[in-house]
Amino acid sequence: MVSYMLNKFKQNLFLKSFFMLYSNYKKLPPPRYILWDCTRKCNLNCIHCGASKERYEEELSEAEVKKLIDELAKMGVKTFAVTGGEPLIRKDLLNILKYASDKGLKTGIATNGFLIDKEKANQIKNANVNSIQISLDGTKEIHNKIRRNNASYNHAINAIKHLNEVGIQDISVATTINPLNMKNLEELMETLIDLKVKSWRICVIMPIGRANENKNLYLSKKQLKQLFEFILKNKKRLHIEVGENLNFLGEYEKKIRESPLICPVGIKACCIGVDGNVRGCPEMPDIEKFREGNIKEKSFSEIWNKGFKKYRDREILKLDKRCANCKNKNDCFGGCWVMREGNLQCIHDLV
């Protein structure tokens, strides 16, 4: 509790400074991290995939991404992380990440792990990649069912082992929780502890892509409370993080988290899309209302400084009367914008 309140105080100081700069000068500090949505191609066909609906005729070229990295490094961005689709499908990915590392950026990859054998793990190490997040959604039978590939579990487990062997320091696992894997969380946790995973990132289903077509993937109120109780019971055994799409946990907030979360969009982070469109985060559908500009048409710094107005103005607290009158409005600031697409943004409704 003391740690949480201290971190809350630090966050409030940061936000006060940020919004003073924004209000008075319209010129902001750089984002702390950039997420590059590098491809929507994937070698799996997961039942909950949020990236499945969007296809692109062209992806940013290696030269275009390196030009972006030059600008990010000059601005003072700290971290450049890659997601997808499956990022390792791109043959130029590790060349790009090595370039980013040479420019002083920390780098990371979110991957399903399917393509990481011992050789690939060594290549990742040699590219100076700082962190790897492997998707693992349950025990073998459940994970393979969710990923719709009977080899996917073994590949993910072996990927973690190979990355450990080559000395990647920051290896985490991401699990998307749904009714299929709720009953196997204890067993999955024991597996992660045995694998010496540094942290476990837990998310709930987002109402996008295939998940938007299957409401049976959403947790009930009872199940979500059970998930929180599981985290509360086990958080000292393994570092467990609850994803930003639940950025406020109601009565569980200070019990589970060591630090408060805010939606980082337009404040600490943003996403560069497959074809250069800039939007808040990779989970946001690549549609007009979420786009802030394109790096092929404008510099990233111009997009960053002039865009993201509705997030920085806390627009939702003005438009949503329920949020405006909520006692927790300065804890969640209206919740996750992607969850709002399915009216799932309010923790008071969810639990």
Side-chain angles (χ1 to χ4, degrees):
M1 177 72 79
V2 174
S3 173
Y4 182 93
M5 296 310 295
L6 177 60
N7 287 325
K8 177 73 170 176
F9 176 73
K10 291 178 180 177
Q11 177 179 279
N12 287 342
L13 284 180
F14 167 77
L15 291 175
K16 184 176 180 180
S17 173
F18 180 93
F19 287 118
M20 182 185 71
L21 284 171
Y22 176 61
S23 299
N24 294 339
Y25 303 105
K26 302 298 181 186
K27 189 170 178 63
L28 299 165
R32 293 184 177 177
Y33 58 97
I34 295 294
L35 297 168
W36 175 34
D37 186 8
C38 72
T39 184
R40 287 300 168 97
K41 298 172 185 174
C42 192
N43 51 351
L44 297 180
N45 188 32
C46 308
I47 63 174
H48 61 283
C49 180
S52 62
K53 293 297 183 181
E54 293 157 353
R55 295 288 182 268
Y56 297 87
E57 293 183 3
E58 292 185 3
E59 300 175 349
L60 290 175
S61 68
E62 181 174 344
E64 288 170 328
V65 181
K66 286 181 175 178
K67 180 181 177 182
L68 168 68
I69 288 169
D70 289 340
E71 185 177 7
L72 299 182
K74 187 175 180 180
M75 288 175 68
V77 172
K78 302 296 184 185
T79 301
F80 182 73
V82 185
T83 186
E86 172 46 48
L88 289 169
I89 284 178
R90 281 194 63 135
K91 303 300 183 184
D92 58 3
L93 181 70
L94 295 181
N95 289 336
I96 290 171
L97 292 181
K98 179 63 165 60
Y99 185 84
S101 176
D102 290 344
K103 289 289 182 176
L105 294 164
K106 291 183 177 180
T107 59
I109 307 172
T111 169
N112 59 39
F114 201 94
L115 300 175
I116 301 178
D117 55 15
K118 191 165 186 178
E119 181 182 359
K120 183 65 71 175
N122 273 306
Q123 291 172 359
I124 290 169
K125 176 70 173 178
N126 292 335
N128 296 330
V129 174
N130 299 97
S131 63
I132 303 283
Q133 178 181 278
I134 305 289
S135 296
L136 192 60
D137 285 323
T139 53
K140 186 172 183 177
E141 180 183 357
I142 296 300
H143 177 86
N144 288 344
K145 183 176 181 179
I146 289 171
R147 299 276 159 175
R148 295 200 277 209
N149 184 301
N150 289 333
S152 61
Y153 178 85
N154 286 343
H155 277 273
I157 294 294
N158 288 333
I160 295 171
K161 292 178 179 179
H162 292 315
L163 293 166
N164 269 320
E165 287 170 4
V166 301
I168 300 294
Q169 293 298 307
D170 187 356
I171 304 171
S172 63
V173 160
T175 301
T176 303
I177 305 297
N178 60 71
L180 292 172
N181 57 21
M182 271 293 295
K183 61 185 178 182
N184 297 115
L185 293 179
E186 292 275 359
E187 190 175 346
L188 177 57
M189 181 183 67
E190 296 300 332
T191 299
L192 301 187
I193 291 172
D194 289 343
L195 289 168
K196 297 180 174 57
V197 168
K198 297 294 184 186
S199 64
W200 188 12
R201 186 174 185 270
I202 286 177
C203 295
V204 295
I205 293 287
M206 298 181 123
I208 50 176
R210 294 192 187 106
N212 198 34
E213 300 168 358
N214 187 355
K215 305 304 181 185
N216 293 326
L217 293 175
Y218 300 126
L219 297 182
S220 66
K221 292 183 179 184
K222 180 180 179 181
Q223 288 169 328
L224 189 55
K225 286 185 178 180
Q226 288 173 342
L227 175 62
F228 291 160
E229 290 294 337
F230 169 81
I231 297 170
L232 190 57
K233 175 185 174 184
N234 294 290
K235 67 174 187 173
K236 291 184 179 179
R237 297 197 62 207
L238 179 64
H239 179 67
I240 304 175
E241 299 176 354
V242 182
E244 290 94 337
N245 62 327
L246 290 180
N247 57 1
F248 178 65
L249 306 178
E251 64 178 293
Y252 289 94
E253 173 75 8
K254 296 174 186 176
K255 298 176 183 177
I256 288 177
R257 284 187 168 136
E258 296 179 1
S259 300
L261 281 180
I262 58 168
C263 175
V265 169
I267 297 174
K268 295 182 179 180
C270 68
C271 170
I272 310 296
V274 173
D275 61 357
N277 283 328
V278 179
R279 62 189 193 278
C281 74
E283 285 75 25
M284 285 179 173
D286 187 3
I287 55 178
E288 186 62 34
K289 71 175 181 177
F290 289 129
R291 294 172 186 157
E292 304 295 328
N294 190 293
I295 61 168
K296 293 181 179 181
E297 300 167 0
K298 300 178 183 177
S299 69
F300 174 77
S301 59
E302 181 182 357
I303 295 171
W304 176 253
N305 283 308
K306 294 184 179 180
F308 301 99
K309 187 175 186 297
K310 65 182 178 183
Y311 310 103
R312 293 166 181 164
D313 288 346
R314 302 297 192 198
E315 181 181 283
I316 208 66
L317 297 183
K318 303 166 188 174
L319 299 178
D320 188 326
K321 292 182 179 179
R322 187 179 177 197
C323 288
N325 296 318
C326 179
K327 65 179 181 180
N328 298 119
K329 68 179 181 180
N330 292 322
D331 295 308
C332 81
F333 298 104
C336 170
W337 284 79
V338 181
M339 295 293 275
R340 190 171 283 275
E341 290 291 286
N343 198 30
L344 298 171
Q345 75 280 359
C346 182
I347 193 67
H348 300 302
D349 290 340
L350 295 179
V351 298

